[in-house]
């Protein structure tokens, strides 16, 4: 940056805070705070403060469900500003970026400038900036280029709007920012309006989600807004007592009651009919709606009544779509697979895109990451959902049975066969979806047969010469690398079959890389009534590496909920091994093979548990198992068990 620009900025900052006569504005008040309260230096060139993964989780956990709700609004906003290279940030009430949508192409620059997930935009660290200054001033604002306090931020432009909760308190901040923009601040005027509008959408979505188990009155003077983005919302309990109202409805009620403070608790607890008179509309154009009239001011409103949703149906579903964006709406079956996590967001987008098609999908991911659950969600949201979903684990079937199980056989075709014959699992999937798990374990002779079925769309049972037409969608899964070009020495997976299976690939992230573990825990715990999880046990579960992924998490939740009392799960109810930070050496560059105790055979489980109980000491473990050390190593290799420290046990 040129020296003259820097000098000008510094002189502006210091002269304006000293100039008593100058008109007070939010930027100058903020500069003053930065110097006098936060003791910041505009020349410090502080790199942006970015939280670590676990620090960030402390900010995302408490508002996990809200983040999921806000996502839809962020996406619609991003769709409108993307072409101009703006990014969308959602920050919590402390200024930490808890969600982010931006252009991958500019990733490095955006990260360096703090326009990224985990960046802390609190004024205390970042100086004057739209998010941080809004948190202090409580009003929508644009902080443009030289308005920023720290010299490193003076090329940015940021426009932010508050998102308030149903008590009128600051819940989050929605922001759009860009690395470069025209010099004039007025160029950002429309962007600020856009951000404010989307902040209101998100507030409404959050309100509707929060009060989903209550009756909700959507009302307005204008009948047209009732079915889209209704500005006024009131929630009633089953006795018609007002339990919540959004900002606009609070203003209307405050007028009605003659109360000035719209954040006041006084605005709830009234029986609705003591304030308003409700009747059915007689106007033909709006006969679907009710009318209500205020008893004091005489104002009339059209009203739509939304009945309470049942608990189970809505729990953890994102907010109802107050924002209409048909292209981006993710099918509910797919959406509920994950909470707020960037890589699962991509998975959901891909699954949503491919589910209506008949493209063959290959799902890759470590054991227990939810490959079958994803395949079922794709099936359930596809046009084949009325048909069968047939799941076959190729690794679990012995080679001798897999052919007859899959392709079926004619009566008397081989010794031991059922005398009536069997139609086979491929035919059972007719009109539905066939899910072939562990496809990498399919014997090579059967790969050729499967390829033929896929190419000709007909199956010939063993012992028959009559092919039968079959119509199914194939989803396959693997925890290992099957792409032929990536395994030059492994020629037993046919390249032509690989290409046929892999119309599209979806990579499922391992649980240790996901940011929505809290969502998954809540989801798994919601099946147990009134179950709580203490903060310390949540921290333990967050730090653990989860080699067995969601399957292991599910087992741990089941284990702990069996041991715990009515107060819920505390650390002492968790199994010992989750306190180990690094239970296995996990190779991040390949699909790690089965290493989790529950996924091993009985022999493997015994071996793993003995090693764990003997602190991975080879001599002690071998002695306990009554085998030699060489046999111990051989067995470890067989079951792919690797010591956490990998030094005392080498092969
Ligand atoms: N999104 C999810 N929400 C809740 N439970 C899940 C989710 N995904 C997976 N699970 C649970 O985790 C377990 C493992 O899931 P699944 O069988 O789909 O994994 P997988 O990757 O196919 O495993 P494998 O590779 O061993 O076949 C199951 O009990 C499943 O119910």
């Amino acid at each position: 940056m040129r020296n003259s620009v820097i000098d000008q900025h510094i002189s502006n900052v210091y002269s304006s805070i000293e100039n008593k006569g100058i008109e007070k504005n939010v930027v100058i008040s903020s500069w003053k705070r930065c110097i006098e309260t936060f003791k910041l230096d505009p020349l410090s060139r502080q790199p942006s403060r970015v939280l670590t993964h676990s620090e960030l989780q402390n900010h995302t956990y408490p508002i996990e469900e809200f983040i999921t709700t806000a996502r839809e609004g962020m996406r619609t906003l991003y769709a409108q500003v993307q072409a101009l290279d703006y990014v969308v940030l959602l920050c919590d009430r402390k200024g930490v970026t808890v969600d982010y949508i931006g252009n991958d192409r500019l990733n490095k620059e955006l990260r360096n400038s703090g326009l990224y997930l985990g960046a802390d935009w609190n004024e205390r660290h970042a100086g004057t900036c739209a998010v941080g200054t809004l948190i202090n001033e409580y009003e929508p604002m644009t902080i443009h280029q030289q308005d920023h306090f720290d010299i490193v931020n003076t090329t940015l432009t940021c426009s932010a709007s508050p998102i308030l909760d149903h008590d009128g308190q600051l819940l989050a901040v929605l922001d759009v920012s860009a690395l470069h923009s025209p010099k004039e601040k007025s160029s950002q005027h429309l962007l600020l309006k856009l951000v404010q509008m989307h902040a209101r959408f998100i507030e409404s979505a959050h309100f509707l989600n929060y009060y989903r188990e209550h009756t909700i009155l959507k009302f307005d003077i204008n009948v047209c807004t009732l079915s889209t983005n209704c500005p006024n919302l009131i929630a009633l309990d089953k006795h018609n007592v007002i339990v919540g109202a959004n900002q606009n409805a609070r203003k209307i009620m405050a007028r009605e009651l003659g109360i000035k403070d719209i954040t006041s608790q006084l605005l709830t607890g009234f029986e609705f009919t003591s304030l308003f008179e409700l009747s059915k509309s007689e106007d033909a154009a709006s006969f679907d709606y009710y009318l209500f009239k205020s008893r004091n001011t005489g104002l009339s409103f059209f009203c739509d009544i939304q009945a309470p949703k049942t608990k189970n149906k809505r729990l953890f579903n994102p907010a109802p779509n107050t924002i209409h964006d048909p292209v981006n709406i993710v099918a509910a079956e797919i959406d509920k697979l994950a909470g707020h996590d960037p890589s699962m967001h991509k998975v959901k987008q891909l699954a949503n895109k491919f589910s209506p098609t008949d493209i063959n999908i290959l799902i890759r991911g470590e054991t227990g990451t939810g490959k079958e659950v994803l395949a079922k969600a794709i099936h359930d949201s596809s046009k084949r959902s009325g048909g069968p979903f047939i799941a076959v684990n190729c690794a679990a079937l012995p080679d001798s049975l897999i052919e007859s199980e899959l392709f079926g056989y004619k009566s008397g075709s081989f010794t031991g066969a059922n005398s009536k014959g069997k139609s086979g699992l491929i035919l059972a999937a007719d009109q539905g979806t066939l899910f072939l798990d562990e496809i990498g374990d399919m014997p090579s002779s059967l790969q050729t047969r499967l390829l033929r079925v896929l190419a000709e769309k007909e199956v010939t049972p063993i012992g028959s010469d009559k092919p039968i037409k079959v119509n199914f969608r194939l989803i396959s899964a693997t925890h290992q690398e099957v792409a032929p070009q990536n395994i030059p020495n492994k020629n037993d997976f046919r390249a032509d079959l690989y290409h046929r299976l892999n119309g599209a690939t979806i990579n499922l992230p391992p649980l240790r890389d996901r940011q929505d573990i809290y969502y998954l825990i809540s989801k798994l715990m919601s099946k147990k009534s009134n179950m709580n999880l203490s903060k310390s046990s949540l921290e333990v579960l967050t730090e653990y590496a989860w080699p067995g992924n969601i399957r292991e998490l599910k087992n741990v939740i089941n284990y702990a909920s069996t041991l715990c009392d009515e107060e819920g799960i505390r650390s002492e109810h968790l199994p010992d091994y989750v306190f180990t930070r690094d239970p296995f050496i996990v190779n991040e560059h390949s699909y790690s093979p089965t290493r989790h105790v529950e996924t091993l055979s009985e022999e493997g489980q015994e071996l793993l548990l003995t090693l764990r109980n003997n602190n991975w000491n080879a001599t002690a473990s071998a002695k306990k198992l009554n085998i030699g050390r060489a046999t111990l190593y051989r067995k470890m290799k067989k079951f792919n068990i690797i010591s956490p420290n990998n030094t005392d046990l080498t092969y």
Side-chain angles (χ1 to χ4, degrees):
M1 201 174 293
R2 281 172 295 119
N3 279 344
S4 59
V5 176
I6 298 175
D7 292 346
Q8 182 63 48
H9 179 62
I10 302 305
S11 128
N12 276 349
V13 170
Y14 284 107
S15 63
S16 22
I17 68 160
E18 278 156 18
N19 190 344
K20 304 263 186 307
I22 200 160
E23 187 198 344
K24 180 184 177 311
N25 74 27
V26 289
V27 173
I28 293 167
S29 308
S30 167
W31 285 352
K32 220 168 153 99
R33 262 193 309 276
C34 292
I35 290 173
E36 293 170 2
T37 314
F38 304 135
K39 310 284 180 229
L40 298 177
D41 172 0
L43 266 181
S44 68
R45 293 178 178 273
Q46 282 294 326
S48 48
R49 179 173 181 265
V50 180
L51 272 59
T52 62
H53 181 61
S54 61
E55 284 171 336
L56 177 60
Q57 283 184 330
N58 291 335
H59 290 260
T60 53
Y61 284 159
I63 51 169
E64 181 77 31
E65 197 167 354
F66 165 73
I67 296 172
T68 310
T69 303
R71 242 294 140 157
E72 198 58 39
M74 290 178 69
R75 275 181 9 214
T76 355
L77 175 57
Y78 183 64
Q80 296 179 57
V81 298
Q82 177 179 20
L84 300 169
D85 279 341
Y86 279 80
V87 298
V88 178
L89 307 183
L90 181 73
C91 299
D92 71 357
R93 59 164 74 108
K94 293 193 173 143
V96 170
T97 312
V98 289
D99 199 4
Y100 157 88
I101 310 181
N103 189 337
D104 287 348
R105 181 173 53 84
L106 299 172
N107 240 348
K108 202 167 157 214
E109 268 183 276
L110 292 167
R111 239 176 225 269
N112 289 342
S113 303
L115 300 181
Y116 213 73
L117 192 66
D120 184 350
W121 283 103
N122 194 300
E123 255 187 3
R124 187 175 297 278
H125 311 287
T128 309
C129 58
V131 172
T133 305
L134 182 153
I135 291 172
N136 280 293
E137 301 283 349
Y138 237 73
E139 60 185 68
M141 66 179 68
T142 295
I143 296 292
H144 189 64
Q145 300 182 357
Q146 306 285 323
D147 291 343
H148 286 93
F149 178 80
D150 197 307
I151 195 79
V152 290
N153 293 331
T154 51
T155 52
L156 306 180
T157 185
C158 311
S159 295
S161 174
I163 298 175
L164 305 179
D165 68 13
H166 23 273
D167 298 326
Q169 305 296 330
L170 185 68
L171 174 63
V173 181
L174 186 66
D175 170 282
V176 289
S177 293
L179 293 167
H180 309 286
S181 56
K183 202 167 178 334
E184 287 69 36
K185 189 167 179 173
S186 56
S187 63
Q188 305 304 305
H189 185 72
L190 273 178
L191 276 150
L192 182 60
K193 294 280 167 222
L194 209 54
V195 181
Q196 284 178 263
M197 190 171 97
H198 283 79
R200 296 296 78 73
F201 288 165
I202 293 173
E203 265 172 20
S204 297
H206 176 58
F207 183 94
L208 293 172
N209 193 39
Y210 188 86
Y211 288 110
R212 62 193 170 230
E213 282 150 29
H214 293 83
T215 301
I216 294 178
L217 305 184
K218 302 174 177 179
F219 63 99
D220 197 12
I221 296 171
N222 181 352
V223 74
C224 304
T225 64
L226 295 188
S227 54
T228 52
N229 291 300
C230 182
N232 312 306
L233 304 169
I234 285 181
L236 304 179
D237 71 6
K238 54 179 185 273
H239 307 295
N240 288 337
V241 169
I242 298 174
V243 288
N246 73 349
Q247 290 306 296
N248 289 319
R250 279 175 172 270
K251 283 184 197 155
I252 294 169
M253 285 164 56
R255 245 191 340 254
E256 200 57 23
L257 291 162
I259 294 174
K260 282 218 170 91
D261 177 12
I262 64 156
T263 61
S264 161
Q265 282 302 322
L266 284 175
L267 289 174
T268 53
F270 288 97
E271 206 180 309
F272 179 76
T273 46
S274 68
L275 296 181
F276 302 101
E277 202 180 323
L278 192 67
S279 59
K280 188 82 182 146
S281 170
E282 282 163 13
D283 174 356
S286 52
F287 63 91
D288 276 346
Y289 300 109
Y290 287 86
L291 257 181
F292 70 74
K293 200 170 173 188
S294 102
R295 291 194 188 274
N296 268 352
T297 56
L299 273 175
S300 289
F301 302 91
F302 289 103
C303 171
D304 187 16
I305 302 180
Q306 180 180 301
K309 307 273 156 104
T310 58
K311 238 179 189 166
N312 289 340
K313 226 171 155 188
R314 298 285 299 276
L315 208 59
F316 298 110
N317 270 353
N321 289 305
T322 45
I323 302 151
H324 292 285
D325 180 11
V327 186
N328 283 326
I329 290 173
V330 174
E333 295 83 357
I334 293 172
D335 207 24
K336 69 183 178 202
L337 293 178
H340 161 69
D341 173 71
S343 41
M344 279 307 290
H345 176 68
K346 275 191 194 152
V347 167
K348 291 200 282 189
Q349 291 292 322
L350 283 174
N352 196 50
K353 201 164 160 187
F354 295 126
S355 69
T357 71
D358 259 347
I359 291 175
N360 292 337
I361 297 176
L362 178 65
I363 303 174
R364 304 199 307 176
E366 290 178 14
T367 182
T369 43
K371 298 186 288 294
E372 182 168 343
V373 170
L374 171 63
K376 178 79 168 59
I378 294 174
H379 168 78
D380 287 342
S381 57
S382 75
K383 58 179 188 261
R384 294 179 177 273
S385 60
F389 175 79
I390 304 290
V392 185
N393 186 331
C394 302
L397 286 172
D399 286 9
S400 54
L401 270 187
I402 191 166
E403 181 172 19
S404 58
E405 285 294 315
L406 268 182
F407 300 89
Y409 53 84
K410 219 181 123 192
S411 56
S413 50
F414 59 89
T415 332
N418 186 316
S419 58
K420 291 190 184 132
K422 193 171 178 184
S423 62
L425 294 167
I426 293 180
L427 268 182
D430 192 33
Q431 305 305 321
T433 304
L434 178 67
F435 173 61
L436 293 181
D437 200 359
E438 307 298 7
I439 188 78
D441 287 342
M442 177 167 279
S444 42
S445 58
L446 293 192
Q447 292 176 24
T448 317
R449 283 196 74 169
L450 178 63
L451 188 63
R452 210 169 307 131
V453 174
L454 295 175
E456 288 159 16
K457 299 203 176 340
E458 47 190 35
V459 61
T460 313
I462 302 170
S464 164
D465 51 8
K466 285 203 188 87
I468 308 169
K469 284 273 169 225
V470 62
N471 175 348
F472 63 93
R473 197 248 188 106
L474 182 67
I475 302 181
S476 36
T478 176
H479 70 260
Q480 50 185 313
E481 186 55 271
V482 289
Q485 69 274 24
N486 294 338
I487 36 169
N489 297 325
K490 188 173 178 208
N491 294 323
D492 50 0
F493 204 85
R494 292 185 58 139
D496 42 6
L497 177 59
Y498 172 77
H499 294 302
R500 179 77 63 163
L501 299 176
N502 187 16
T505 300
I506 301 183
N507 291 312
L508 270 177
L511 182 55
R512 63 184 167 280
D513 291 344
R514 284 177 63 166
Q515 290 170 18
D516 61 342
I517 185 169
Y518 181 70
Y519 171 90
L520 290 169
I521 293 172
S522 316
K523 195 173 162 197
L524 294 170
M525 291 205 0
S526 72
K527 292 179 186 144
K528 330 239 165 253
S529 56
N530 293 331
M531 195 64 84
N532 282 319
L533 187 76
S534 72
K535 193 161 175 270
S536 56
S537 49
L538 180 59
E539 273 163 17
V540 174
L541 297 182
T542 316
E543 290 300 321
Y544 182 60
W546 300 111
N549 293 298
I550 307 178
R551 178 179 292 113
E552 189 181 14
L553 175 66
K554 195 171 168 181
N555 290 340
V556 167
I557 297 291
N558 284 340
Y559 174 93
S561 48
T562 312
L563 292 187
C564 73
D565 47 34
E566 66 280 0
E567 279 182 24
I569 298 174
R570 295 186 302 278
S571 322
E572 64 259 35
H573 303 128
L574 299 174
D576 289 348
Y577 65 86
V578 296
F579 293 86
T580 328
R581 274 186 178 237
D582 191 8
F584 303 102
I585 305 294
V586 177
N587 178 357
E588 299 201 348
H589 303 295
S590 68
Y591 290 98
S592 62
T594 309
R595 272 171 287 198
H596 174 55
V597 67
E598 275 78 4
T599 59
L600 291 169
S601 68
E602 221 169 279
E603 192 190 0
Q605 289 197 12
E606 191 191 4
L607 178 65
L608 180 56
L609 291 174
T610 311
L611 284 161
R612 275 180 183 160
N613 292 339
N614 288 282
N615 292 325
W616 295 88
N617 181 306
T619 312
S621 306
K623 197 166 164 210
K624 181 84 191 157
L625 291 166
N626 214 5
I627 53 175
R629 275 170 61 106
T631 314
L632 180 96
Y633 292 140
R634 213 176 37 250
K635 282 180 181 243
M636 286 178 69
K637 194 166 184 188
K638 175 176 161 197
F639 294 111
N640 217 345
I641 294 171
I642 305 168
S643 160
N645 39 37
N646 215 21
T647 49
D648 56 350
L649 283 174
T650 45
Y651 300 125

